[in-house]
């Protein structure tokens, strides 16, 4: 039989990439390289810090740089709406729910909200009612650098160094070797750019243009629209480009912002033509950009931004660039170097993001070099996105929670403090939410993290977030985690317990009805963002497991915290009584945990969220050792779950669930899916959907994923390699804070040899179980043998003492 022949055409990239053998001195150890430019926001390099960001596409001759500031936003309406005053219909909503009239219940609540000022704020789009949203972020401006092409291009590469935030674009053409460098200076709050021409060239001949306009992506969520009605002022000269932008005064009350770019040339000249800067024959160019938000937009404020740049004493552009870069590396490098991971990847660290993703696609297992870079990127993201505001993209029902969840574990208390302060500033608004919506004391967190308020106005009948009562409880799980990794009793006393008391006070007023078993009824409730199956059900239901779990965690932590501090709180008896009245969980026919603990509510397995897994992660109440039947129930639920629309956050929550339940196979399968099926861009930043909607949930959470695969911890327990995929047979993890008042300065493992080591620094005197469930043979601590039974060894450690542990374990082949 004649062999079939096919024509195959593989189109080459526009630019020839720098080969691997030339990258040794160029690719940063903690960072990445890419071998062709970005054509989208999602694939661009991000240099950031202190609330300022440059997004750099890396095109040699048609460069695009987007400048952003964390506090730039526009409002749709001048005044924020207060949370709707709908508490008076709560009895009727509850009656309807008990009668199985869920849709009528949610429509009644939203109809009442419309009557309280929301009628024009809840538009319909097809069959979906869209929640009100009053804030939209936008870029400060877009810079374009246009240069005449000199093709062909070879040795193209762009790099991002996580320890300095320096983004570099390199290429060679007939004129020589070109380099363009940029970074955001954290100490100086400046955007810094440096262009250098090859000695053999005529110099830098480029046109610089600054525009104020939209940045479009591949999805509605990728768009960064410019506000309507904005007034733009320009004051341009050959050494300063000053752009002032004033918002619509009818909505933003005179607010605006200014951006100034100072230009310093080494050789050559420049002039302004049609609001563009034309640079001629310069050997080197230094651009310094400052962006300031102006509460009252006026000429004095605008000019002061430019004057602050003029006052900088700069004699040599290149030396000044290196000075600022060195200062930035000192600040950012220290934060980045606190924690790192090595997975024995060899020279694969020199591969580009395109090559690493291709390698992952061709493997049956995981690409260690890709995981190492994603670990570093996740920590870089949390550090550089934490200015005066934390990273808070999306909602508190999983998105923001994932974006910050690596902070406690990987020793970034500075970033977590930004998040904690952001939440605490909103507590007065949370009190108003609770009173207006439920008529309850205490606090009710809003679902949407708006920049300057915590008012609950983001809801609709399609997404009835207003009846989600667990929001602030989940947030305070991170507060509690900070206590567990630091042992900070002052933080526990003055910042955790006051918040938990307010949450408990809300539940005390909310839980007024009792079922036939004498247990509380949690209703109305909302299990983000699922609906029971069937035409009669809206998302509003009864006894969402998540709400029961969060309530239990809040009360348990309150009682534990008071006990630790020796506080005789008069409410302790009440909290214990409340715990005794929490409803029982229900299992389905296969023994899987049901999402609602109410017999009449049918399950809906095909959904992106797994909110009812809260007690496994981020909570820690369900474990194989303490609650084996529930652990099995959640494992079955996790494995049965559909993916609905393939949202990344749902897959990530299932990864965390599998890790905590030591389900290595399921954790591996879901992590591999994220790495291979369109969730990772060439910038290594993540998407919300496959190949769609730039969103940092996976970016922020991946460090915690790897940490928890390598070490599980809770008070009095450290378990090694509980869910590490078998192919990652050798590696080391540095700089981890555990949830048992101990820092794990170094963990190494070589499962070929059957050896695990730990360098541990204890923050308190405590007894700790050291576990390795796959066969612990012996344990030695500071040279002393410790008895082992059932894969567990108990050690006693002293406060502020250091220990070296050597575990001999059953060897394992990858």
């Amino acid at each position: 039989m004649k062999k079939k022949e096919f024509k195959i055409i593989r189109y080459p990239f526009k630019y020839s990439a720098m080969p691997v053998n030339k990258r040794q001195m160029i690719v940063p150890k903690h960072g990445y390289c890419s071998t062709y430019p970005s054509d989208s926001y999602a694939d661009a390099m991000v240099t950031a810090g202190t609330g300022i960001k440059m997004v750099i596409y890396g095109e040699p001759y048609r460069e695009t740089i987007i400048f952003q500031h964390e506090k730039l936003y526009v409002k749709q309406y001048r005044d924020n709406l207060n949370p709707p005053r709908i508490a008076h219909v709560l009895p009727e909503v509850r009656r309807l729910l008990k009668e199985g009239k869920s849709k009528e219940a949610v429509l009644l609540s939203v109809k009442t909200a419309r009557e309280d000022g929301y009628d024009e704020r809840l538009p319909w789009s097809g069959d979906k009612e869209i929640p009100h949203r009053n804030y939209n972020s936008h870029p400060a401006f877009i810079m374009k650098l246009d240069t005449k092409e000199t093709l062909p291009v070879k040795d193209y590469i762009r790099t991002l160094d996580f320890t300095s935030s320096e983004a570099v674009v390199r290429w060679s053409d007939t004129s020589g070797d070109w380099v363009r460098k940029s970074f955001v200076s954290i100490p100086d709050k400046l955007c810094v750019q440096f262009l250098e021409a090859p000695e053999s060239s005529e110099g830098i001949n480029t046109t610089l243009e600054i525009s104020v306009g939209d940045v479009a992506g591949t999805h509605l969520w990728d768009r960064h629209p410019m506000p309507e009605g904005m007034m733009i002022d320009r004051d341009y000269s050959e050494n300063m480009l000053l752009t002032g932008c004033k918002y619509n005064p009818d909505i933003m009350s005179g607010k605006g912002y200014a951006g100034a770019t100072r230009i310093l040339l080494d050789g050559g000249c420049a002039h302004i033509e049609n609001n563009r800067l034309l640079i001629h024959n310069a050997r080197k160019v230094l651009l310094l950009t400052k962006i300031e938000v102006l509460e009252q937009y006026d000429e004095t404020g605008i000019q002061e931004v430019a004057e602050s740049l003029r006052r900088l004493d700069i004699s040599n552009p290149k030396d000044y660039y290196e000075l600022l870069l060195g200062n930035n590396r000192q600040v950012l490098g220290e934060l980045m170097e606190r924690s790192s991971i090595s997975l024995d990847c060899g020279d694969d660290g020199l591969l580009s993001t395109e090559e690493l993703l291709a390698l992952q696609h061709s493997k049956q297992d995981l690409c260690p070099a890709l995981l190492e870079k994603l670990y570093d990127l996740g920590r870089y993201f949390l550090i550089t996105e934490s200015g005066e505001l934390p990273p808070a993209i999306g909602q508190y029902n999983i998105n923001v929670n994932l974006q910050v969840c690596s902070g406690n574990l990987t020793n970034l208390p500075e970033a977590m403090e930004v998040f904690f302060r952001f939440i605490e500033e909103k507590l007065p608004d949370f009190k108003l939410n609770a009173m207006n919506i439920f008529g309850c004391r205490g606090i009710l967190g809003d679902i949407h993290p708006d920049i300057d308020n915590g008012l609950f106005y983001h809801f609709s009948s399609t997404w009835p977030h207003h009846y989600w009562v667990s929001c602030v409880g989940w947030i305070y799980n991170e507060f509690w985690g900070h206590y567990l990794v630091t042992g900070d009793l002052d933080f526990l006393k003055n910042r955790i317990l006051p918040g938990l008391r307010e949450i408990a006070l809300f539940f005390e007023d909310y839980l007024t009805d009792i079922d036939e078993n004498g247990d509380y009824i949690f209703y109305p409730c909302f299990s983000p963002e699922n609906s029971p199956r069937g035409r009669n059900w809206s998302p509003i239901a009864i006894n969402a497991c998540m709400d029961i779990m969060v309530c239990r965690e809040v009360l348990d932590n309150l009682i534990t915290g008071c006990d630790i501090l020796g506080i005789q709180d008069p409410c302790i008896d009440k909290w214990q009584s409340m715990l005794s009245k929490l409803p029982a969980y229900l299992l389905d026919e296969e023994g899987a945990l049901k999402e609602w603990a109410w017999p009449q509510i049918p399950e809906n397995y095909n959904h992106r969220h797994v909110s009812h897994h809260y007690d496994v992660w981020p909570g820690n109440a369900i474990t194989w050792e303490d609650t084996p039947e529930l652990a099995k129930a959640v494992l079955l639920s996790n494995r049965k779950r559909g993916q609905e629309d393939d949202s990344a956050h749902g897959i990530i929550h299932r990864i965390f669930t599998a890790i905590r339940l030591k389900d290595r196979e399921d954790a591996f399968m879901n992590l591999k899916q994220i790495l291979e099926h369109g969730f990772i861009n060439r910038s290594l930043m993540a998407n919300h959907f496959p190949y769609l909607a730039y969103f940092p949930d996976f970016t922020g959470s991946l460090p915690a994923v790897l940490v928890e695969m390598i070490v599980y911890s809770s008070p009095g327990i450290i378990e090694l390699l509980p869910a590490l995929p078998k192919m990652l047979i050798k590696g080391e993890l540095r700089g981890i804070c555990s949830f048992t008042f101990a820092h794990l300065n170094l963990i190494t493992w070589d499962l070929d040899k059957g050896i695990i080591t730990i360098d541990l620094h204890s923050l308190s005197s405590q007894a700790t179980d050291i576990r390795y469930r796959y066969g612990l043979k012996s344990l030695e601590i500071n040279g002393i043998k410790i008895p082992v039974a059932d894969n567990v060894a108990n050690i006693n450690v002293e406060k502020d003492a250091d220990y070296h542990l050597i575990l001999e374990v059953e060897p394992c082949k990858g």
Side-chain angles (χ1 to χ4, degrees), residues 141-160:
F141 50 81
I142 304 162
M143 180 184 289
K144 298 279 190 178
L145 296 172
D146 285 348
T147 307
K148 182 180 178 181
E149 287 189 350
T150 311
L151 299 176
V153 165
K154 64 178 182 177
D155 289 346
Y156 175 87
I157 195 167
R158 58 184 178 125
T159 60
L160 179 63

Side-chain angles (χ1 to χ4, degrees), residues 773-799:
R773 69 179 52 240
Y774 307 110
L776 177 58
K777 293 181 175 181
S778 68
L779 185 144
E780 183 180 292
I781 178 169
N782 288 355
I784 300 172
K785 290 280 189 179
I786 303 296
V788 173
D790 298 325
N791 297 321
V792 178
N794 183 264
I795 64 172
N796 290 288
V797 294
E798 299 298 323
K799 183 178 180 179

Side-chain angles (χ1 to χ4, degrees), residues 413-446:
E414 299 89 347
M416 296 308 294
E417 174 59 25
V418 175
F419 176 68
F420 297 147
R421 188 176 63 248
F422 181 72
I423 297 301
E424 289 169 332
E425 290 171 352
K426 293 172 167 42
L427 295 184
D429 286 346
F430 288 2
K431 289 187 176 183
L432 185 61
N433 297 338
M435 184 56 63
N436 281 14
I437 296 173
F438 284 98
C440 294
R441 298 168 297 168
I443 55 179
L444 178 71
D446 65 325

Side-chain angles (χ1 to χ4, degrees), residues 347-486:
D347 292 334
D348 286 353
L350 297 176
L351 297 181
S352 69
T353 57
E354 296 84 6
E355 291 159 345
L356 288 171
L357 290 169
L359 181 60
Q360 177 62 56
H361 287 139
S362 68
K363 294 172 71 72
Q364 293 183 349
D365 46 30
L366 302 176
C367 175
L370 180 59
L371 293 175
E372 287 184 9
K373 292 183 183 297
L374 289 170
Y375 183 90
D376 286 341
L377 174 64
R379 298 186 69 253
Y380 171 81
F381 161 80
L382 183 54
I383 295 166
T384 57
E385 290 281 344
S386 298
E388 292 183 39
L389 304 175
I393 302 167
Q395 299 177 343
Y396 291 123
N397 64 8
I398 189 70
N399 307 122
V400 180
N401 319 71
L402 290 172
Q403 291 159 29
V404 303
C405 72
S406 297
N408 283 325
L409 286 169
T410 69
N411 198 12
L412 294 175
E414 299 89 347
M416 296 308 294
E417 174 59 25
V418 175
F419 176 68
F420 297 147
R421 188 176 63 248
F422 181 72
I423 297 301
E424 289 169 332
E425 290 171 352
K426 293 172 167 42
L427 295 184
D429 286 346
F430 288 2
K431 289 187 176 183
L432 185 61
N433 297 338
M435 184 56 63
N436 281 14
I437 296 173
F438 284 98
C440 294
R441 298 168 297 168
I443 55 179
L444 178 71
D446 65 325
I447 182 72
H448 214 277
D450 283 333
I451 185 172
D452 64 353
N453 73 84
L455 300 172
F456 213 138
Y457 47 68
H458 189 83
F459 65 90
S460 70
S461 58
T462 307
W463 291 280
H465 300 298
H466 56 298
Y467 283 151
W468 185 43
V469 299
S470 294
C471 174
V472 71
W474 189 340
I475 290 169
Y476 266 80
N477 176 277
E478 290 293 343
F479 281 70
W480 187 259
H482 178 79
Y483 163 66
L484 293 180
V485 302
T486 63

Side-chain angles (χ1 to χ4, degrees), residues 618-633:
N620 199 22
I622 296 177
T623 68
W624 286 111
E625 288 73 22
D626 296 333
T627 56
E629 186 177 7
L630 274 175
K632 181 179 180 181

